[in-house]
Amino acid sequence: MRAGRYGVYGGQYVPETLMSALIELEETYARVREDPEFSRRLSWYLHEYAGRETPLTFCGNLSRDLGCRVYLKREDLLHGGAHKLNNTLGQALMAKFMGKRRLIAETGAGQHGVATAIAGAVLDLPVEVYMGEVDTRRQALNVFRMELLGARVVPVASGTRTLKDAINAAMRDWVANLGDTHYLLGSCVGPHPFPRIVRDFQSVIGEEARRQILEREGRLPDIVVACVGGGSNAIGIFYPFVNDDVRLVGVEAGGEGLISGRHGASLSAGSVGVFQGALSYLLQDGDGQALETHSIAAGLDHPSVGPEHAMLKDAGRVRYEAVTDAEALHAFRYLSRVEGIIPALESAHAVAYALRAADNLDEDDILVVNLSGRGDKDVADVANVHGGAA
Amino acid sequence: MSRIEALFARKNPVFVGFTVAGDPDRETSFGVAKTMVDAGVDLLEIAVPYSDPVADGPVIERAHVRALRVGTTPDDVFALVRRVREYAPPLPLVLFTYYNIVYRRGVDWFFAEAAAAGADGILIVDLPTEESGEVAPSALRHGIDRIVLVAPTTSPERRQKILRGASGFVYLISLEGVTGERDHLPPNLAGLVGAVREKTDLPLAVGFGVSRPEHVAAVAAAGADGVIVGSALVRVIEEHPGDEAGMHEVLRAVIRALKSGFAPDPDPDMPRRERVEG
């Protein structure tokens, strides 16, 4: 396999101007991975600051309801309210080691922007976050949080004004400011080495979950479920289980249904293409133009997916399924009521799949759902747009 | 001798114009190309519209959006190339594209269509040398020059590697950043041109940020064989919605003004690469 490739996927499809930065990043990353001082400091931030490890909660009510043993990996309890901080602390610390003086990031739902703002604040690096104009409106609370944390939020008015355009804008900024700026990419997408870096920093989720379930149950789970937009929380929990006899299911945004064409399910309904620096699955038309996507969850509203997921799909190692907006909304309300945990709409997709899958599970079967974020950010939207709590 | 070789052998420095195919619509887009040729553009870069042009600044990105809004497809781009080829038989034409457009319909198909339409070169802006293995055979098979990009941030070792796969001319990116007009070009342009010149016999054209007559003069003074202007021309289209006559007139004037940056050449027969000192 070529460096930076996952099977045939991945690669570095970027303008020449960016290559020197990617090469620098690759070299730095190889160095800091071996640096005990880096590991020591990252470990301190993850445990003492961010609140790791996160619980693997056995959900009694949910288990009774579904007729199997259900655990939630509680990334919603990580500081900032989502798994994103695992990656932003890692990359921000790496930027420090590289001598960079400024962080830029893209954000869709706002979670990665908030996590970058947090990491920038605690590590004393100024942060600018690019965010699609549409997303700044539907995630106004997170815009305020980022600003409160000292970050500057730059609304992006080009293209579809969502996550993909925010990534384009951040890449343009990076190309122009390579010397002092680190682009803190928030998902396992983009050119090598980003998918690798993000996966490594997020793998702490799966490493903990694997250890926790072994301690609790004395065996590995039967199924691990996670939502997939770009795919960082999913790759984080899947990766340590890849060589185990454990079913892995990635849940994509089915939007208004795959037939409707209004969805974000690049693995379930897309085709192979090059997008934002990597070869992967992509929602595109016959000419190779990226299609507009739709999801109730801003963080899943993206036309492509990390290249490692593309490989895992082709290899048949991970099954990718789509759940609709309506199913996710139902799961959002259901989990809130049954377990007292309000999931992010993104994570609600994984919960929705668990509800669907439970029919085929026995009571001794163990199901782990990665609850990648909490839903406070979505409460107002659900109340206003989708008709209250009932 | 290819059209690109013939041009650079005949003229120096050359003025390279850029337009996005289908901007602002299919028919007017041909008119834009025609006006550029009539106004003295020596080589035309025609961009294939793409939904996510990350190497481009806001002006050219909006041109991509306009072209896509009227439904411009790669087939329309080839049709445009065909028409420009008929209109200006000796004019070198280079397609400027993002890789997914090429990949989606098939690399060899794309190169074959481009060659049949009369294109001379293809520049794939997001295909660095590491990833370009799959296009090299098709370029060769269909007699299309592979125009490569060299950036100020490209290390000398990479430069060497990139230049090995190059043909036609070399596109030197003047600055760190995306396309788009700037107040100033970087001061070390001559150093960049000189360093690349040492490693290749291909003509060198400088682009990104070139938008004023004094920039054109600076690029020529830096010893480049060509100057590439994009956003400053594309902007004229954007600023004349519904006023085609005015648009053509301003476009001609802008090209004339930019070309005034070229000082009259005392010895136009001598290729610039033979003049570099040190």
Side-chain angles (χ1 to χ4, degrees):
Chain A
M1 205 190 303
R2 279 161 68 194
R5 292 277 173 173
Y6 304 90
V8 299
Y9 301 107
Q12 294 179 309
Y13 298 90
V14 297
E16 176 58 25
T17 330
L18 267 186
M19 283 305 295
S20 65
L22 293 178
I23 292 166
E24 182 195 12
L25 190 58
E26 202 175 341
E27 288 167 357
T28 309
Y29 181 61
R31 204 172 60 240
V32 300
R33 271 170 59 84
E34 305 300 321
D35 184 344
E37 176 61 14
F38 180 83
S39 306
R40 196 187 59 75
R41 287 184 61 187
L42 180 57
S43 167
W44 185 90
Y45 280 107
L46 288 176
H47 295 105
E48 301 299 320
Y49 179 76
R52 297 214 76 90
E53 62 181 37
T54 61
L56 183 70
T57 306
F58 175 73
C59 294
N61 301 335
L62 198 52
S63 297
R64 257 193 308 282
D65 243 22
L66 299 191
C68 61
R69 302 181 65 74
V70 184
Y71 287 85
L72 298 181
K73 180 59 177 164
R74 301 293 304 280
E75 294 301 297
D76 61 317
L77 294 179
L78 193 67
H79 179 44
H83 73 290
K84 293 291 186 184
L85 194 64
N86 299 322
N87 171 50
T88 59
L89 282 173
Q91 285 199 50
L93 194 59
M94 188 170 68
K96 277 277 207 208
F97 274 59
M98 293 169 85
K100 302 290 179 186
R101 291 186 302 277
R102 170 177 178 257
L103 298 176
I104 56 171
E106 83 295 338
T107 198
Q111 294 304 95
H112 173 59
V114 168
T116 306
I118 291 170
V122 70
L123 286 163
D124 195 24
L125 288 165
V127 171
E128 277 177 62
V129 179
Y130 289 92
M131 189 170 189
E133 213 176 42
V134 171
D135 292 335
T136 59
R137 283 199 300 273
R138 55 183 174 180
Q139 303 289 343
L141 178 63
N142 270 341
V143 172
F144 181 69
R145 290 170 82 196
M146 286 183 268
E147 288 171 348
L148 197 59
L149 291 159
R152 201 167 80 87
V153 178
V154 186
V156 177
S158 59
T160 57
R161 303 172 192 214
T162 59
L163 178 58
K164 83 174 175 71
D165 306 289
I167 293 179
N168 292 345
M171 278 169 89
R172 290 180 178 123
D173 179 321
W174 198 32
V175 172
N177 299 289
L178 296 174
D180 68 348
T181 299
H182 176 65
Y183 176 20
L184 209 165
L185 191 53
S187 194
C188 53
V189 299
H192 174 70
F194 282 112
R196 167 76 192 277
I197 292 173
V198 175
R199 180 250 277 162
D200 286 354
F201 286 141
Q202 291 295 359
S203 291
V204 66
I205 304 172
E207 284 156 13
E208 284 177 8
R210 196 173 183 284
R211 192 177 64 242
Q212 289 166 318
I213 200 77
L214 285 172
E215 281 166 12
R216 209 77 56 77
E217 294 276 355
R219 69 178 184 92
L220 292 171
D222 295 280
I223 304 192
V224 176
V225 181
C227 66
V228 177
S232 73
N233 88 82
I235 205 71
I237 196 163
F238 290 166
Y239 189 66
F241 289 103
V242 158
N243 296 319
D244 295 324
D245 184 18
V246 173
R247 270 185 282 163
L248 305 173
V249 181
V251 186
E252 296 191 286
E256 295 172 7
L258 298 188
I259 300 276
S260 73
R262 285 177 51 76
H263 58 79
S266 46
L267 289 160
S268 304
S271 53
V272 176
V274 170
F275 186 69
Q276 290 174 338
L279 183 72
S280 187
Y281 279 82
L282 173 64
L283 293 168
Q284 58 182 332
D285 70 11
D287 291 328
Q289 312 291 357
L291 291 173
E292 273 196 50
T293 56
H294 165 81
S295 172
I296 191 174
L300 304 182
D301 197 349
H302 192 59
S304 192
V305 64
E308 194 162 7
H309 285 292
M311 178 189 75
L312 292 168
K313 172 193 160 78
D314 283 9
R317 179 62 193 95
V318 178
R319 213 166 88 210
Y320 294 90
E321 300 275 350
V323 314
T324 62
D325 287 351
E327 287 177 280
L329 256 181
H330 169 73
F332 177 86
R333 294 183 171 119
Y334 171 83
L335 190 70
S336 303
R337 210 167 46 234
V338 171
E339 290 291 350
I341 297 169
I342 303 174
L345 280 172
E346 290 77 9
S347 321
H349 283 71
V351 176
Y353 178 79
L355 299 181
R356 208 199 270 171
D359 291 347
N360 302 316
L361 294 176
D362 295 330
E363 59 181 328
D364 292 334
D365 286 346
I366 301 169
L367 174 68
V368 172
V369 175
N370 194 15
L371 202 76
S372 54
R374 68 176 184 225
D376 307 46
K377 69 182 175 63
D378 299 310
V379 168
D381 193 44
V382 169
N384 295 337
V385 183
H386 304 287
Chain B
M1 195 186 269
S2 76
R3 291 187 193 95
I4 293 176
E5 276 178 290
L7 169 68
F8 283 100
R10 179 175 82 237
K11 194 166 186 183
N12 207 301
V14 309
F15 186 85
V16 181
F18 171 99
T19 186
V20 176
D23 174 29
D25 59 64
R26 269 162 271 199
E27 196 50 42
T28 314
S29 180
F30 174 64
V32 166
K34 208 160 143 264
T35 296
M36 286 191 185
V37 175
D38 294 346
V41 161
D42 299 307
L43 187 158
L44 188 59
E45 278 187 1
I46 297 179
V48 184
Y50 178 53
S51 55
D52 295 85
V54 291
D56 286 298
V59 172
I60 292 178
E61 187 191 18
R62 289 195 294 268
H64 282 267
V65 171
R66 285 194 295 276
L68 288 177
R69 201 175 289 145
V70 297
T72 310
T73 66
D75 295 310
D76 296 323
V77 179
F78 295 131
L80 174 67
V81 170
R82 218 166 254 124
R83 288 181 75 182
V84 179
R85 171 54 61 236
E86 269 169 38
Y87 181 72
L91 179 82
L93 287 173
V94 170
L95 285 174
F96 185 103
T97 184
Y98 286 83
Y99 185 52
N100 198 44
I101 302 290
V102 179
Y103 180 86
R104 177 64 165 159
R105 300 269 298 259
V107 170
D108 202 64
W109 175 85
F110 191 93
F111 276 80
E113 286 293 305
D120 302 291
I122 295 183
L123 192 166
I124 306 176
V125 64
D126 56 350
L127 195 73
T129 182
E130 285 79 358
E131 311 289 358
S132 62
E134 41 207 305
V135 307
S138 295
L140 215 56
R141 183 172 315 130
H142 301 291
I144 293 277
D145 281 324
R146 266 169 62 209
I147 314 301
V148 298
L149 292 168
V150 171
T153 49
T154 306
S155 70
E157 302 77 55
R158 275 185 66 72
R159 235 184 250 155
Q160 201 104 326
K161 203 156 60 163
I162 292 170
L163 292 171
R164 270 204 293 276
S167 58
F169 66 92
V170 175
Y171 192 132
L172 283 187
I173 299 174
S174 67
L175 43 78
E176 292 182 28
V178 293
T179 59
E181 300 121 300
R182 306 290 200 282
D183 287 339
H184 303 284
L185 292 186
N188 55 347
L189 218 46
L192 180 65
V193 170
V196 178
R197 177 84 75 202
E198 272 178 34
K199 302 295 177 197
T200 182
D201 291 332
L202 293 172
L204 311 179
V206 173
F208 280 44
V210 183
S211 51
R212 297 177 180 184
E214 60 266 33
H215 299 162
V216 172
V219 170
D225 304 297
V227 46
I228 306 167
V229 178
S231 296
L233 304 182
V234 171
R235 177 184 291 284
V236 176
I237 301 175
E238 178 165 47
E239 287 175 348
H240 292 82
D243 175 18
E244 224 188 300
M247 186 261 290
H248 290 298
E249 192 178 317
V250 175
L251 199 52
R252 272 190 294 272
V254 167
I255 292 171
R256 202 178 312 125
L258 286 165
K259 287 191 77 169
S260 74
F262 288 144
D265 196 330
D267 187 4
D269 295 331
M270 185 175 180
R272 294 180 82 80
R273 74 197 66 145
E274 286 162 29
R275 307 178 195 184
V276 177
E277 295 145 27

